[in-house]
Amino acid sequence: MDYVSALVPPIVMAAFFIGLVRVIVKTQGGAAKAKEDAAVDAALARTQGAGPAAGAASPDA
């Protein structure tokens, strides 16, 4: 019976990990994907727009 008690925790952890991966994969995309992509694009545009101005003022440039 010791082998059963030794195998149960890894099996339970593996089942939860597989469930977590499935949830993550299923929630990628969907109805909010375009909205999230637009938010990321806007944030990237802001950082890229501020990048050269901040880079020119740095002392080690």
Side-chain angles (χ1 to χ4, degrees):
M1 266 335 243
D2 288 336
Y3 63 90
V4 173
S5 62
L7 288 176
V8 168
I11 291 172
V12 170
M13 288 190 307
F16 280 121
F17 182 73
I18 290 170
L20 176 67
V21 169
R22 289 185 67 185
V23 167
I24 290 172
V25 168
K26 283 186 176 184
T27 57
Q28 298 299 308
K33 184 174 181 1
K35 184 178 177 181
E36 292 170 358
D37 287 346
V40 170
D41 289 340
L44 285 174
R46 281 194 304 266
T47 57
Q48 289 175 350
S58 66
D60 59 349

